[in-house]
């Protein structure tokens, strides 16, 4: 901008700002972090919807024993795409690419991320990877049927299009690495003058910790997938025991990435919740430093516990107790956060608006997911429930109940800032109710039949499990209706909703200091940095 | 500064670019790290096979390539020094020498690989399938790791060629040299990986 | 701006480092030609570590970079070593 403070810049929101391009091209070639965030939002929402429909199809297959609506091989294909879409295309980019992109720079008082062009490039790679993933479904050799984990040796021998799917995962990983890199540099170099690390709000902290995991863990899965591809192409035998390889080594490498990856999903979710709770309690967050540092602790220790996915696969006894011990240790910082949230609410002036409802249900579902995680972390109990629907219930509670609900919380919290419009509260509450009820109906029964022995990734089951499968399917329908209602409400809000004020929730962090929607460079006046970002009164 | 008028809007932060490059180097290190992990497990399981198989490689070529790479690493570091001291001609020459070294490395590698191929040793060949377990793993890792490394050499060369022209056009100069600095960092990474690859592939007892 | 205060490494220093590196290379070769059983790998890796350290410190200027960056680089190597060690908890007791 030519002017430098002497004459006031006229406010134009980023949504209306005219740059080099117009129309669609002003979006898909935008380097503004806010536009890129919306690009991710639209892409990810679409993928989520597709993935959810696939989940519902599986639910209908499972409504009765035997074949109901699909063949076994179709079921195998569907749970694989469902997993690949949900993990690599929805939850891993999810919060950090959408809300991290939009709000990380704003919350630290910056104009943009450190490398705007790289940011756009990451989005394009993401789209390219997603196209590959979708394409793997339509190749002649048939959709991959390995599950999203691509375990060797099945993945090295099955005739389905595994190469395409793993290439897709590799490309998507690359996008994730570049996003992480961008965010780390942004936090180090772009903070507003006067903002030290410990003056940052906690969402940037969590995005920062996440970015490190993205950067350091993803290359390992990248190289693993390349080895898998090489093995399929040249019969190398890194992993296939028929050729003398070691399938456990694949599992090690895969989980060296994929366990930290679950923190890529959940850390930003915790960050979102940490922003929402103080706002709706109008109270300073309890234990700021403990929350900030526990994010880093989770990221660090999270690298050392991958073996808890392999208790039953023939690891040595020593490795098993070691991983079990560390798993229990990594639970501590997560619990610290829960205590902090609850203490923040204590004696706050609580305002039950939709974002807060989602945040509360996040805590509830996360506690269920987390405590069942401890059951999985201890070797003896793990052996009983490994590869049963108990696992399915556990990780849906963590990723859908956790990350998913945090995503919904975030969109209800920040939508007025992003679009300058407000949605209908009553409809939002109804949608929340049906999501919450549907979710629990869908997944809680899976814990019970999991303990009783219902295996995971099966399209058939003995009749004694049917009662739970029926409840689950009903829950799935309620859940999907909730999603549809919520999305409808949000879209109506954006298109026809009332104009939102700059600070509808009386929040204290920097995003609420600027107009809704923000202008192209976010801060037309230098932001006022507070000692503690959550200072109310 | 002569070009005051030009960079009003441009946001320039060399520290940020450099940090970005370092972070990228971290990911590269861990990418190779995954391979080194696989290597260490299999070498531990098949020590004798790995030793026997490594005798197939010529230590001489390995040493030559090591020295070539180390030398190129020095020349590119010197190129950066030259640019910082505003000695454009020397910098251009040093970059060119570095590129030449890279080329020599690749040619050496080509002959080394070609030699193996002639003997029917290449990924997916019939001979490979007949090899003993440890031998097969050794050669698979050998081709995979040196291949990936060679790929990085090529990427590094592209970066340095771009840097060469940027120096020539003066868009890299004694005042803004972060592009060359980053290119050099990348080049040192390639060297760094080779430093570990060499004893692990060629010198197994 | 502060983009000019970079440390400039002299040509002579760089050349000396190269000589050291080449010396280390030959040292590795001569040591690994004896069979010192398990020690050979350890020594070869130690020497490689020294070489890596030289490249990082001088060629890559890490010696003159901020403490933060040096800690980060160190942690990456540490992280990798820890991951290898943990993996061996499995393999060496199987
Ligand atoms: C929208 C409602 C959803 C429904 C009805 C649903 C349903 C299911 C079902 C029935 C399975 C297969 C279980 C089995 O046979 O083993 C499954 C697996 C899975 N789901 Fe979902 N799901 C939903 C949402 C999600 C979300 C939001 C995520 C991630 C954020 C997710 C991640 C996964 C993963 C990773 C698997 C495992 C795939 C595999 O075994 O390879 N799901 N889901
Ligand atoms: Cu895990």
């Amino acid at each position: 901008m030519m002017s430098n403070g002497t004459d006031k810049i006229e406010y134009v929101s980023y949504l209306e700002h005219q740059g080099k391009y117009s129309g669609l091209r002003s979006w898909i070639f935008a380097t503004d972090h806010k536009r890129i965030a919306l690009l991710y939002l639209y892409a990810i929402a679409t993928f989520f919807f597709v993935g959810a429909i696939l989940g519902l199809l599986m639910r209908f297959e499972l409504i009765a024993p035997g074949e109901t609506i699909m063949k076994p091989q179709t079921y195998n294909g569907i749970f694989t795409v469902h997993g690949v879409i949900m993990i690599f295309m929805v939850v891993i980019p999810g919060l950090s690419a959408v809300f991290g992109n939009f709000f990380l720079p704003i919350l630290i008082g910056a104009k943009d991320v450190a490398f705007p062009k790289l940011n756009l490039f990451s989005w394009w790679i993401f789209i390219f990877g997603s196209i590959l993933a979708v394409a793997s479904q339509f190749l002649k050799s048939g959709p991959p049927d390995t599950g999203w984990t691509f375990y060797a040796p099945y993945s090295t021998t099955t005739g389905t299009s595994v190469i395409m799917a793993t290439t897709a995962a590799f490309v998507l990983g690359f996008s994730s690495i570049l996003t992480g890199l961008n965010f780390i540099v942004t936090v180090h170099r772009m903070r507003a003058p006067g903002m030290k690390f410990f003056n940052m709000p906690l969402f940037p902290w969590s995005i920062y910790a996440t970015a490190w995991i993205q950067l350091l863990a993803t290359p390992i899965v990248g190289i693993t997938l390349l080895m898998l591809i090489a093995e399929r192409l040249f019969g190398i035998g890194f992993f296939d025991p028929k050729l003398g390889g070691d399938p456990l080594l694949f599992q090690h490498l895969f989980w060296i990435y994929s366990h930290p990856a679950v923190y890529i999903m959940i850390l930003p979710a915790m960050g979102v919740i940490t922003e929402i709770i103080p706002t709706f309690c109008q109270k300073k967050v309890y234990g700021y430093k403990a929350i900030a540092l526990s994010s880093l602790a989770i990221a660090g220790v999270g690298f050392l516990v991958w073996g808890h996915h392999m208790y039953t696969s023939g690891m040595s006894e020593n490795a098993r107790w070691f991983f079990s011990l560390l798993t229990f240790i990594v639970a501590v910082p997560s619990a610290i956060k829960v205590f902090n949230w609850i203490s923040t609410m204590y004696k706050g002036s609580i305002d039950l608006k939709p974002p807060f409802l989602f945040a509360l249900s996040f805590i509830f579902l996360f506690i269920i997911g987390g405590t069942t995680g401890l059951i999985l972390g201890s070797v003896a109990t793990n052996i009983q429930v490994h590869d049963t629907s108990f696992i399915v219930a556990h990780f849906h509670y963590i990723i859908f109940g956790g990350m998913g609900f945090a995503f919904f919380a975030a969109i209800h919290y920040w939508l007025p800032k992003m679009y300058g419009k407000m949605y209908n509260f009553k409809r939002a509450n109804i949608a929340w109710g049906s999501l919450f009820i549907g979710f629990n109906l869908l997944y809680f029964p899976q814990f019970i039949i999991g303990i009783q022995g219902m295996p995971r990734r099966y399209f058939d089951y003995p009749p004694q499990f049917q009662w739970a499968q029926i409840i689950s399917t009903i829950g799935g329908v309620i859940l999907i209706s909730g999603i549809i209602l919520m999305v409808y409400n949000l879209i109506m809000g954006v298109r026809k909703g009332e104009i939102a004020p700059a600070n509808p929730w009386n929040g204290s962090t920097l995003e609420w200091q600027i107009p809704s929607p923000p202008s192209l460079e976010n801060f037309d006046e230098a932001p006022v940095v507070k000692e503690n970002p959550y200072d109310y009164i | 500064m002569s070009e005051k008028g030009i960079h009003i809007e441009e946001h320039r932060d060399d520290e940020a670019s450099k940090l970005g490059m370092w972070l990228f180097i971290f990911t590269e290190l861990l990418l190779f790290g995954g391979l080194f992990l696989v290597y260490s497990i299999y070498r531990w399981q098949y020590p004798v096979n790995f030793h026997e198989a490594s005798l197939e490689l010529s230590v001489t070529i390995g040493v030559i390539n090591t020295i070539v790479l180390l030398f190129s690493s020095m020349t590119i570091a010197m190129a950066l020094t030259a640019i910082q001291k505003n000695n454009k001609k020397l910098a251009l020459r040093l970059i060119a020498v570095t590129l030449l070294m890279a080329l020599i490395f690749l040619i050496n590698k080509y002959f080394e690989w070609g030699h193996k191929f002639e003997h029917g040793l290449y990924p997916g060949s019939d001979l490979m399938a007949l090899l003993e377990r440890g031998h097969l793993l050794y050669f698979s890792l050998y081709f995979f790791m040196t291949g990936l490394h060679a790929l990085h050499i090529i990427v590094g060369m592209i970066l340095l060629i771009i840097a060469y022209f940027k120096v020539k056009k003066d868009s890299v100069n004694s005042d803004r040299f972060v592009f060359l600095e980053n290119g050099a960092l990348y080049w040192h990474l390639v060297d760094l990986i080779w430093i570990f690859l060499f004893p692990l592939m060629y010198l197994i007892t | 701006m502060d983009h000019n205060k970079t440390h400039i490494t002299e040509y002579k220093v760089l050349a000396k480092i190269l000589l050291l590196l080449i010396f280390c290379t030959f040292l590795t070769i001569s040591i690994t030609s004896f069979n010192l059983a398990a020690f050979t790998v350890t020594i070869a890796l130690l020497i490689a570590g020294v070489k890596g350290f030289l490249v990082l410190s001088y060629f890559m200027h890490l010696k003159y970079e901020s403490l933060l960056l040096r800690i980060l680089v160190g942690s990456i190597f540490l992280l990798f070593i820890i991951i290898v060690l943990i993996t061996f908890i499995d393999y060496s007791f199987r």
Side-chain angles (χ1 to χ4, degrees):
Chain A
M1 298 294 110
M2 295 298 250
S3 45
N4 33 14
T6 39
D7 49 340
K8 264 237 178 323
I9 304 161
E10 199 168 334
Y11 160 73
V12 184
S13 92
Y14 77 100
L15 292 169
E16 285 142 20
H17 183 269
Q18 270 295 328
K20 210 163 29 166
Y21 302 108
S22 60
L24 183 64
R25 286 195 302 164
S26 73
W27 284 87
I28 60 176
F29 297 129
T31 52
D32 175 21
H33 67 107
K34 299 181 286 300
R35 287 200 174 195
I36 295 176
L38 295 191
L39 289 177
Y40 272 113
L41 175 64
Y42 302 143
I44 288 172
T46 313
F47 299 144
F48 175 74
F49 203 71
V50 173
I53 297 295
L54 291 168
L56 201 64
L57 285 178
M58 284 188 280
R59 279 302 353 142
F60 279 118
E61 168 54 41
L62 291 172
I63 199 162
E67 188 179 313
T68 35
I69 61 164
M70 61 180 83
K71 294 251 176 307
Q73 183 60 14
T74 318
Y75 187 86
N76 295 347
I78 291 192
F79 76 64
T80 305
V81 240
H82 171 77
V84 169
I85 291 184
M86 286 302 194
I87 296 288
F88 295 112
M89 288 151 68
V90 176
V91 289
I92 288 192
L95 281 167
S96 54
V98 177
F99 297 102
N101 246 321
F102 203 108
F103 289 103
L104 171 71
I106 299 183
L107 283 169
I108 62 174
K111 282 186 190 163
D112 206 320
V113 293
F115 309 117
K117 284 192 197 129
L118 186 69
N119 202 11
L120 177 65
F121 185 56
S122 311
W123 183 78
W124 274 105
I125 299 181
F126 172 68
I127 293 299
F128 177 60
S130 306
I131 291 173
L132 288 180
V134 173
S136 74
Q137 296 303 303
F138 300 105
L139 292 189
K140 211 168 66 234
S141 42
D145 58 350
T146 58
W148 74 278
T149 45
F150 302 117
Y151 267 18
Y154 186 61
S155 58
T156 60
T157 48
T158 169
T160 52
S161 25
V162 170
I163 293 189
M164 186 67 117
T166 43
T167 311
F170 180 84
V171 173
L172 290 165
F174 197 55
S175 156
S176 176
I177 289 179
L178 293 181
T179 305
L181 187 155
N182 216 335
F183 287 173
I184 295 176
V185 179
T186 306
V187 168
H188 276 281
R189 300 293 306 170
M190 308 280 289
R191 275 169 288 128
M195 183 181 279
K196 302 214 182 64
F197 258 80
F198 283 105
N199 306 128
M200 285 199 302
L202 289 158
F203 182 62
W205 264 104
S206 70
I207 291 286
Y208 178 71
T210 310
W212 274 110
I213 308 178
Q214 287 172 288
L215 190 82
L216 299 182
T218 320
I220 307 257
V221 80
I223 196 72
T224 313
L225 296 176
L226 284 185
M227 281 191 269
L228 183 68
I229 293 172
E231 172 143 359
R232 274 186 79 95
L233 290 177
F234 306 121
I236 286 181
F238 285 132
F239 305 127
D240 185 350
K242 260 210 314 278
L243 302 168
D246 182 5
L248 270 200
L249 190 55
F250 180 86
Q251 296 188 15
H252 273 298
L253 290 163
F254 182 82
W255 289 111
I256 288 175
Y257 163 71
S258 293
H259 184 79
V262 309
Y263 296 113
I264 299 180
M265 310 168 192
I266 202 68
L267 272 174
M270 293 167 156
V272 167
I273 301 307
T274 317
E275 293 298 321
I276 292 178
I277 289 191
T279 304
F280 290 91
C281 301
Q282 292 293 302
K283 203 166 149 250
K284 205 186 273 186
V285 76
Y286 179 84
Y288 171 92
K289 274 204 176 157
I291 298 185
L293 294 177
S294 66
S295 293
L296 292 184
I298 290 178
V301 187
F303 269 99
L304 314 179
V305 303
W306 73 85
H308 60 215
H309 297 270
M310 302 166 57
Y311 290 147
T312 57
S313 29
M315 242 180 3
S316 78
E317 199 50 49
N318 284 332
R320 287 199 266 175
W321 70 251
F322 176 82
F323 282 122
S324 185
L325 178 69
L326 278 171
T327 302
F328 278 86
I329 292 177
V330 81
V332 174
S334 310
I336 289 181
K337 296 204 185 219
V338 175
F339 292 132
N340 280 311
W341 295 324
I342 311 250
S343 316
T344 306
M345 285 183 236
Y346 178 68
K347 284 190 176 164
S349 52
I350 292 179
D351 189 5
L352 271 183
K353 295 258 172 53
F356 191 66
L357 280 178
F358 278 105
L360 279 184
S361 45
F362 166 92
I363 299 180
F364 180 82
L365 301 173
F366 181 70
I367 289 178
I368 296 183
T371 44
T372 52
L374 293 176
I375 296 177
L376 299 175
S378 106
V379 182
T381 41
N382 178 289
I383 288 170
Q384 161 73 12
V385 292
H386 180 76
D387 258 347
T388 66
S389 64
F390 190 91
I391 305 283
V392 177
H394 158 72
F395 71 65
H396 280 95
Y397 265 88
I398 291 282
I399 27 193
F400 193 1
M403 184 286 178
F405 272 68
F407 195 95
F408 302 154
I411 189 102
H412 284 89
Y413 183 53
W414 278 319
L415 184 114
K417 180 55 65 187
M418 297 164 79
Y419 292 94
K421 295 288 187 59
M422 192 54 100
Y423 48 85
N424 178 310
F425 281 9
K426 199 157 150 220
R427 244 190 261 136
N429 288 340
I430 298 172
W432 169 79
S434 94
L435 278 168
F436 186 69
I437 293 169
F439 180 89
N440 285 297
L441 280 181
L442 169 52
Y443 294 114
F444 203 83
Q446 301 292 329
F447 279 128
I448 300 168
I449 56 173
I451 293 178
Q452 293 167 350
M454 167 75 207
R456 142 188 203 201
R457 293 181 176 170
Y458 270 48
F459 98 124
D460 193 9
Y461 53 87
Q464 75 257 32
F465 297 135
Q466 197 183 1
W467 64 272
Q469 302 288 15
I470 291 178
I471 300 180
S472 284
T473 306
I474 296 171
V477 173
I478 299 178
L479 179 67
I480 296 274
S481 347
I483 294 178
I484 293 173
L485 179 63
M486 178 184 77
V487 172
Y488 169 79
N489 185 34
L490 293 174
I491 292 178
M492 288 311 281
V494 169
R495 299 180 64 186
K496 305 225 173 83
E498 287 169 34
I499 305 279
N503 191 356
W505 321 117
N506 196 19
S508 74
T509 34
L510 285 182
E511 78 271 40
W512 308 114
Q513 284 185 16
I514 56 176
S516 309
S519 67
L520 182 67
E521 301 208 317
N522 302 339
F523 297 94
D524 294 336
E525 290 153 41
V528 183
V529 176
K530 293 183 203 163
E531 170 78 31
N532 180 323
Y534 304 99
D535 249 341
Y536 289 90
I537 326 161
Chain B
M1 281 217 267
S2 56
E3 17 161 43
K4 239 182 207 123
I6 307 172
H7 46 128
I8 295 176
E9 217 199 311
E10 190 186 356
H11 165 82
R12 171 170 168 211
D13 183 352
D14 290 351
E15 278 301 308
S17 315
K18 202 160 71 182
L19 181 58
M21 192 58 184
W22 271 104
L23 296 180
F24 191 68
I25 286 177
F26 293 170
T27 72
E28 294 275 18
L29 284 174
L30 283 159
L31 191 80
F32 277 94
L35 282 173
F36 279 113
L37 176 60
V38 174
Y39 171 92
S40 57
I41 300 271
Y42 285 141
R43 175 163 176 185
W44 188 76
Q45 288 184 339
Y46 303 95
V48 181
N49 279 180
F50 265 52
H51 167 62
E52 291 158 0
S54 75
L55 296 177
E56 287 288 314
L57 304 191
S58 146
V59 177
T60 323
I61 294 194
V63 175
I64 294 175
N65 262 354
T66 306
I67 293 175
V68 165
L69 261 198
L70 289 174
F71 185 72
S72 74
S73 217
M74 179 195 72
T75 51
I76 198 67
M78 284 183 167
L80 184 65
T81 307
I83 262 300
Q84 286 167 334
K85 293 189 165 180
N86 213 355
N87 190 343
K88 178 174 160 187
K89 222 163 79 200
L90 182 61
L92 284 175
R93 273 200 203 135
L94 284 165
I95 300 178
V97 173
T98 312
L99 284 167
L100 185 69
M101 290 297 133
L103 208 59
I104 294 178
F105 182 92
L106 283 182
I107 292 172
N108 251 336
K109 193 94 272 165
Y110 173 80
F111 282 117
E112 203 186 13
W113 275 37
H115 190 66
K116 304 266 157 346
F117 280 41
E118 273 167 31
H119 288 66
L121 263 182
Y122 52 88
S125 73
D126 299 336
L127 179 63
M128 286 279 267
L130 295 177
L131 287 182
E132 237 178 281
R133 183 64 209 134
H135 293 167
L136 171 61
L137 274 176
Y138 174 84
F139 284 114
S140 304
L141 281 166
Y142 164 76
F143 282 117
F144 203 106
M145 292 174 95
T146 54
L148 194 65
H149 180 257
L151 197 71
H152 281 76
I153 297 252
I154 294 171
V155 174
M157 284 174 79
I158 295 172
L159 278 181
L160 292 184
I161 291 174
I162 299 174
Y164 182 87
F165 285 105
K166 286 201 169 209
V167 174
K168 205 162 180 183
K169 276 194 329 213
D170 278 329
S171 65
V172 166
N173 52 40
S174 64
D175 184 48
R176 49 164 68 204
F177 43 77
V178 69
F179 189 90
L180 180 61
E181 196 174 7
N182 281 347
L185 279 177
Y186 194 82
W187 192 254
H188 297 307
L189 162 78
V190 173
D191 187 26
L192 196 62
I193 290 168
W194 184 259
I195 285 179
F196 287 92
L197 220 44
F198 170 65
L200 291 179
M201 280 298 167
Y202 291 78
L203 309 172
I204 305 179
T205 45
Chain C
M1 299 280 351
D2 57 354
H3 52 253
N4 263 338
K5 66 164 192 224
T6 4
H7 175 91
I8 300 182
T9 316
E10 286 304 327
Y11 302 117
K12 236 188 347 210
V13 178
L14 295 172
K16 271 189 203 149
I17 297 296
L18 176 66
L19 288 181
L20 261 176
L21 286 169
I22 293 180
F23 170 74
C24 286
T25 309
F26 284 107
L27 191 66
T28 326
I29 297 169
S30 50
I31 284 183
T32 47
S33 58
F34 308 114
N35 196 344
L36 302 170
F39 282 119
T40 15
V41 202
T42 324
I43 295 174
L45 283 179
L46 274 182
I47 299 179
V50 171
K51 286 166 78 178
F53 181 79
L54 289 175
V55 170
L56 283 164
S57 312
Y58 292 93
F59 286 177
M60 299 171 90
H61 306 287
L62 211 52
K63 192 161 181 249
Y64 312 102
E65 293 289 354
S66 64
L67 182 65
L68 175 78
L69 190 56
R70 278 185 284 162
I71 292 178
L72 288 181
V73 175
S75 334
I76 301 304
F77 282 94
L78 190 67
L79 175 70
F80 176 66
I81 291 170
I82 292 178
I83 288 180
V84 173
L85 288 181
I86 293 183
T87 315
F88 269 95
I89 297 185
D90 176 12
Y91 279 88
S92 42
F93 293 104
R94 231 192 255 160

